[in-house]
Every structure is written in C-alpha cells, then in structure tokens.
Amino acid sequence: MKIIRWGIIGCGDVTEVKSGPGFQLAANSSLVAVMRRNGELAKDYAERHNVPKWYDKAEDLVHDTEVDAVYIATPPGSHKEYTEMVAKAGKPVYVEKPMALNTEECQAMIDVCEEHGVPLYVAYYRRRLPRFLKVKELLDEGAIGDVRFVTMEQTQQLLEKDENGEWPWRVRPEVSGGGLFYDVASHTLDLFDYLLGPIEDVKGYAANQSDSYPAEDSVSGSFQFESGVMGTGVWNFASYKNEDQNRIVGTKGEIVFSTFDEVPVKLMNQFGTEEFHIDRPSPIQQQLIQTIVDELIGKGQSPSTGRSALRTNRVMDKMVQDYYKG
C-alpha cells in the first residue's frame, strides 16, 4: 500500500499537537520534512517529533522528491503564495483555515490547483470529529423533523498584546484576513455548511466595540441556506467570558451543541431530552488527515475541499465588508 509522505510549511504551534502528530499516526501516512524560516526552530521541531528532514526555505521542501504532499500551516496571509508554489510542483495541497485572506485569493488557489491537476484540501477538521458526526446523524435520521432555523453565538474575552507589545497575528487583517471572527467563526460556519448545505444569502454587521486592535471584534449576521433554512449569528470578542452555543431548531425538536466547548450534544424533542457525551480525539486533525490520505491513495473521498472552504470565506467577507470599506 502506498505511503503518502508529507512535508509541513510552517511548523508552529498548531502543528505541535493538533495536526503534526496526525500525519505520523494516520494509516498509510508519514511526516518526512518540516520547514520554518527560522532554521533552528525547524531543526528543534524535527528533532522533538522524529522528523527526518528540516528546511528553512519553503522551495527546498516543496521540491524535495521524497515529499509527496504538503501541509501549509502558516497564517492565512501566505496561503495563496505557498499553495501556488506547491501546485506548480505538482503536489497535493492541504492548507490551514481560514483558506486565505479573502474570497478572491481562495478562488485563485482553486484555479491554480485545477490548472496543475492537484487536489486542494482545507483543515476544517470538525467535519470528521465524532461529536459533529453525531449531530449530522441526528439530522439525517429526522430526530428534529424538518429544520427551520439555526442560531450561532460565541463570546470571548478581549485579546491582549504579546510580550513585545504587539497584537497577535490573528487580529491583524493584513495577516489573518480579519479579526478573531475569521479565525474561529470560520469553524462554525464551515460546520454548518457541512451539516445543512451552503448558505445562499447573507447580511452582516461588524464593528470594533472595544476600540482596541484594527480588526473587527464584534460581528452579527442573518443568512438563508440554499435549503430555505434561516439563521442568525453573533460573535463578540470583547466580552467577559469565553462561551459558544449553536442551536438547530426543527418541526419536532432541536439540537444544541458547542463548536469549541467540551459539553454534550443535547437533543430535545417530544420524547424528552437526551445528552450525548462524546470525547474530543487527539490529535484533533487526525480523522480529517486520514480521509485526505485515503483519497490520495484511492480509497475514499475527503469532505473538506477548497470549494467548500471558499464558500465559508465568501460568507465571512460579506458579513464584514462594510466595516473594511469604511
């Protein structure tokens, strides 16, 4: 059986536990090379994770003949550049979320991958976590009847500057695409794309209520899915606590669950209330990585594609567009 040999561009924090070990633990997969612009940090990562090769230039990793596919784990501001580099080398691309700075960059990434005949995957790994597969199962079996509307709410405390007095890259729009809305709300919006299908129309409002960093810290929106399901969402990143909750309401009941918090999935219908306690796996990306490896060796199909991720970027862009135009 073919082994997919992976290289990582940007072996930072997200690769330590969430993703990096997943390439080593997935069946028919191995991690053979990592890259970071700081060569000493790349070497340190390679030694600690038993990775054979390390580089300080992305070009060297991409053109390594022993690297079959590349995972891009840098901030969104460089996703397009590295995707183009990997695609032109004829290798499959797996890129962190959000997919890129904006919808236009997402489309350019899809185009270059199609032009060079390579697949493009995006790290929306919640599409394969057992907790959300349970939500999908409940919907598919009609546990709440026909879905009528959804609500999404998330609050977080305000970020602080780092030890150098700088704002983290996640709230610097030129690097991240927006504020924390792009970083964390993208998970929820992509998850609902998986559960209920694409959002067809969206209207939104964004503001910086805390008057802190340049990016938005509060976003609200209303939307309609292609299926006719209605929805609303509120995300505030200058609140007093960290919490998130999603509701899917149907003609016979509702499902309540969290995108991030370790709480049970709750089903409420005419039969009463049932809770499903489902542990979060570790490494958290391994299940999605496995679907990608399986597709690359011809054994299946991964649920997280460039086109589905583009839809998520498009929804986010529309919700905050007036903020950045102003």
Side-chain angles (χ1 to χ4, degrees), residues 102-104 106 124 152 181-182 185-186 188-193 197-206 219-226 231-233 235 307-322:
N102 52 55
T103 305
E104 291 73 24
C106 292
Y124 284 117
M152 313 169 194
F181 177 69
Y182 274 73
S186 57
T188 301
L189 291 166
D190 177 80
L191 182 57
F192 272 88
D193 182 281
I199 290 174
E200 182 178 58
D201 190 29
V202 60
K203 295 178 176 61
Y205 301 90
V219 179
S220 66
S222 60
F223 31 85
Q224 182 173 8
F225 292 80
E226 287 184 358
T232 62
W235 294 266
R307 292 201 176 277
S308 62
L310 178 146
R311 293 196 296 268
T312 296
N313 257 87
R314 180 182 293 123
V315 169
M316 294 190 297
D317 287 355
K318 287 184 177 180
M319 292 177 75
V320 304
Q321 61 185 1
D322 289 342

Side-chain angles (χ1 to χ4, degrees), residues 114-189:
E114 289 182 348
E115 178 185 351
H116 293 276
V118 298
L120 172 60
Y121 310 99
V122 183
Y124 284 117
Y125 52 83
R126 281 173 170 75
R127 288 176 174 244
R128 270 298 168 265
L129 293 186
R131 180 177 305 172
F132 306 115
L133 293 178
K134 184 63 182 182
V135 175
K136 179 69 168 171
E137 175 188 310
L138 293 171
L139 292 171
D140 290 346
E141 67 186 20
I144 63 169
D146 297 329
V147 178
R148 291 296 187 240
F149 70 90
V150 305
T151 64
M152 313 169 194
E153 293 185 8
Q154 182 173 4
T155 62
Q156 285 189 15
Q157 294 174 316
L158 185 66
L159 279 183
E160 297 181 355
K161 292 182 178 181
D162 62 22
E163 62 273 13
N164 298 315
E166 302 290 337
W167 289 110
W169 66 260
R170 287 178 171 82
V171 293
R172 292 159 49 199
E174 70 278 11
V175 180
S176 64
L180 286 174
F181 177 69
Y182 274 73
D183 185 47
V184 297
S186 57
H187 275 296
T188 301
L189 291 166

